[in-house]
Amino acid sequence: MFNAEAISEVPPERPLDVFVGRDRHVAELTRLLGNAFLPRSAVAFVTGRAGFGKSALVRQVLQTVLRPDDWLVSFKYDQFTEASPASLFVNGLDIVAARMLAMPDSPREAIRRRLVDAISPNGQLVVNLCGRMDALLGPQPELIQLAPQENQTRVSFVLRRFFAALSGRKGRVFIHVDDLQWADAGTVRILEDMIADSSLQNLALIIAHRSGDFESAATLRRIVRTVGNPSVEIEMDAMDESEIADILSRLAPVSRRPLGPLSASIHKATGGNPLAIVNVVDLLSRQGRAGGAGSGGGWSVTDDAVERLALGDGIDDLLQMRLAGLDAEERELLGIAAHIGDRVDVALLHRVS
């Protein structure tokens, strides 16, 4: 079977429709996030296997619901990178700081005053988490020293007040955490507090994680059910053969062979993984097995070609195709990185190249 996990983070260079069959999911998420006013924090859970389009779905919906005055904080956790405590929110502070620094003086000062009023007298905690906030918030009083557990409670409280101060009838706050299953405990604790905090308005949490029984996700769901937040749960499914045929017909609408057998072969090779399907179709198209308008259109794919994908050879072709699209310097850098090891320090790679 085509290794969908291996290419789950490698999107095709040309856009293909990965939202075939996803209209229901788009509508559900849009209904929740598209409200002009959220009386309390809204929570969306988006789950599915790697490559099933969780991140793409969220990006698509956010593009349609975000307004100019809204705030978006998005952070993707990684299995192989150790996350610092509350890293989603530390990164969020940096995103907010960068946007505020680019604002004209008058709106920036208005937001600064709201933030200082909301987090006082603990503004120094925000500065400690994000150095760029120093220039925005100005001098802050020294923090009172607390025991570790009490300090954790304070961090959660201050961050909730900070993001609450950003939100209002003119601007909502969207917090998107991707791959929750790899998140640090500090982030999960603050997410729990945000969901349970009845004072938060115009704030939406979009929580994406892979399918599985993760305790962090189960805890968040229990709080949502207990408190009664407006919420939606979306499970990204595998694509069926008819949806694959739809993608094939959109790319090469004039068929030289029935699409049913071809879509069935691709479904078998990919297990219905949407991103794997998109890459396989892209690969076949690039290999000249889909004719353009000048050649009569349609698909001319031999059973042997699809069988090669099913036997696992397709991933090699896909990677070779991606590498061929890079220039000589980029390929040389990848070669150096391969000799350094599984993890590459970008600064080190820059020095040695």
Side-chain angles (χ1 to χ4, degrees):
M1 178 177 286
F2 196 90
N3 188 343
E5 291 282 336
I7 57 93
S8 63
E9 303 298 337
V10 187
E13 295 169 10
R14 292 185 302 163
L16 292 175
D17 196 344
V18 297
F19 287 98
V20 168
R22 301 299 198 237
D23 293 345
R24 175 171 56 87
H25 298 326
V26 170
E28 288 177 333
L29 193 55
T30 301
R31 277 196 298 269
L32 179 71
L33 303 182
N35 291 325
F37 176 70
L38 298 169
R40 62 172 305 138
S41 57
V43 187
F45 294 97
V46 183
T47 59
R49 288 165 47 197
F52 271 41
K54 301 183 295 297
S55 300
L57 172 70
V58 173
R59 286 196 300 268
Q60 174 78 7
V61 172
L62 286 176
Q63 286 177 1
T64 64
V65 302
L66 279 174
R67 302 176 305 195
D69 291 331
D70 291 336
W71 298 82
L72 172 62
V73 171
S74 183
F75 188 79
K76 181 178 178 62
Y77 284 93
D78 189 279
Q79 180 181 8
F80 303 105
T81 302
E82 184 175 352
S84 58
S87 48
L88 162 67
F89 297 98
V90 173
N91 181 72
L93 293 176
D94 197 60
I95 291 173
V96 172
R99 179 171 168 180
M100 288 182 63
L101 288 169
M103 285 180 173
D105 292 342
S106 180
R108 182 174 65 241
E109 176 61 17
I111 296 174
R112 186 197 73 81
R113 289 180 179 177
R114 291 208 313 266
L115 293 175
V116 170
D117 289 344
I119 62 179
S120 181
N122 297 300
Q124 186 60 40
L125 187 149
V126 172
V127 174
N128 292 346
L129 293 173
C130 174
R132 286 207 281 186
M133 280 291 169
D134 187 21
L136 291 167
L137 300 181
Q140 297 297 311
E142 187 176 347
L143 286 174
I144 299 173
Q145 296 301 311
L146 299 176
Q149 187 171 359
E150 293 174 323
N151 187 60
Q152 185 180 43
T153 300
R154 178 171 61 181
V155 169
S156 174
F157 175 78
V158 172
L159 288 175
R160 279 181 283 136
R161 297 283 67 76
F162 180 93
F163 286 103
L166 280 180
S167 65
R169 290 188 177 273
K170 288 188 176 181
R172 301 160 296 172
V173 175
F174 295 88
I175 298 178
H176 172 216
V177 51
D178 204 355
D179 279 336
L180 176 75
Q181 70 274 7
W182 312 127
D184 59 280
T187 290
V188 176
R189 167 67 185 279
I190 298 171
L191 289 173
E192 294 172 2
D193 293 342
M194 277 190 159
I195 293 173
D197 191 339
S198 60
S199 68
L200 293 179
Q201 296 180 339
N202 283 317
L203 185 143
L205 303 173
I206 307 105
I207 299 167
H209 65 84
R210 293 187 184 179
S211 299
D213 186 18
F214 299 106
E215 179 57 32
S216 56
T219 301
L220 296 178
R221 283 182 168 85
R222 283 196 297 270
I223 297 174
V224 168
R225 289 193 294 268
T226 300
V227 178
N229 304 68
S231 64
V232 66
E233 295 199 22
I234 295 173
E235 176 71 30
M236 304 294 287
D237 303 316
M239 282 187 168
D240 60 29
E241 294 176 16
S242 65
E243 292 165 342
I244 298 173
D246 193 0
I247 292 178
L248 294 171
S249 65
R250 293 184 188 200
L251 188 62
V254 182
S255 179
R256 291 203 294 263
R257 59 166 289 179
L259 293 179
L262 176 57
S263 61
S265 297
I266 293 176
H267 186 272
K268 178 182 177 182
T270 61
N273 184 300
L275 191 52
I277 290 167
V278 168
N279 276 278
V280 169
V281 172
D282 191 41
L283 174 62
L284 292 174
S285 177
R286 287 173 180 270
Q287 290 177 339
R289 287 160 179 153
S295 60
W299 290 89
S300 57
V301 185
T302 65
D303 293 335
D304 177 66
V306 179
E307 186 177 351
R308 286 188 67 245
L309 295 179
L311 293 174
D313 296 332
I315 189 64
D316 296 328
D317 293 341
L318 178 69
L319 293 176
Q320 289 294 331
M321 181 181 71
R322 296 286 184 261
L323 289 172
L326 302 176
D327 61 34
E329 290 184 358
E330 290 172 325
R331 289 197 296 271
E332 181 182 4
L333 285 176
L334 284 177
I336 296 172
H339 284 84
I340 293 176
D342 294 337
R343 299 185 184 184
V344 179
D345 184 316
V346 176
L348 173 62
L349 182 61
H350 177 73
R351 288 197 298 271
V352 299
S353 61

